[in-house]
Amino acid sequence: MKKQNITLFPFLNGDVLYSDEVFIVAINANLSEDRRVMVLESSDGRVMAVLTPALAYKLGIYQREDQSEPIFRRNLNEAGVTLHGADYLFYFVWKVGSDFSRLH
């Protein structure tokens, strides 16, 4: 697979190792050790993952052509890599007269 460079989000900059309609895996050498892997799932079901080159090597991603989100998560688990709970971002479309005080 030909590598391509992506800039989708501030944390997902790097070389794409795998990409299909619903899953993207990229490497980024600038990630810190405490943030060596990040996974983002969008509301439409697409999943984007970024990890350090060292972790990608440890997981064997460079050698895999049959990648998917379940395979990726299983590889993380087998390597003893634990993902922390998700942070949620909610996007509200502002309408004139919207009363956001009801959300408390």
Side-chain angles (χ1 to χ4, degrees):
M1 173 185 292
K2 181 182 178 244
K3 286 187 180 179
Q4 61 185 19
N5 192 273
I6 59 169
T7 306
L8 297 175
F9 316 128
F11 75 86
L12 190 56
N13 297 324
D15 293 325
V16 174
L17 297 180
Y18 178 84
S19 176
D20 64 27
E21 298 81 30
V22 295
F23 186 55
I24 298 173
V25 178
I27 57 167
N28 183 337
N30 295 321
L31 294 177
S32 64
E33 183 59 29
D34 62 334
R35 302 223 191 273
R36 61 188 175 150
V37 60
M38 293 184 234
V39 179
L40 175 69
E41 184 173 350
S42 63
S43 61
D44 63 4
R46 290 185 287 165
V47 177
M48 293 160 265
V50 62
L51 62 160
T52 63
L55 185 55
Y57 180 78
K58 181 177 180 179
L59 298 178
I61 292 176
Y62 289 107
Q63 294 82 25
R64 296 194 69 97
E65 299 228 1
D66 62 332
Q67 193 62 251
S68 67
E69 179 194 2
I71 291 171
F72 179 77
R73 290 185 183 272
R74 184 179 69 233
N75 290 339
L76 287 173
N77 188 28
E78 289 171 356
V81 176
T82 303
L83 297 175
H84 299 286
D87 292 329
Y88 292 95
L89 173 68
F90 296 95
Y91 178 77
F92 294 100
V93 177
W94 179 259
K95 293 181 181 178
V96 175
S98 293
D99 181 10
F100 288 102
S101 65
R102 296 176 303 155
L103 298 175
H104 293 245

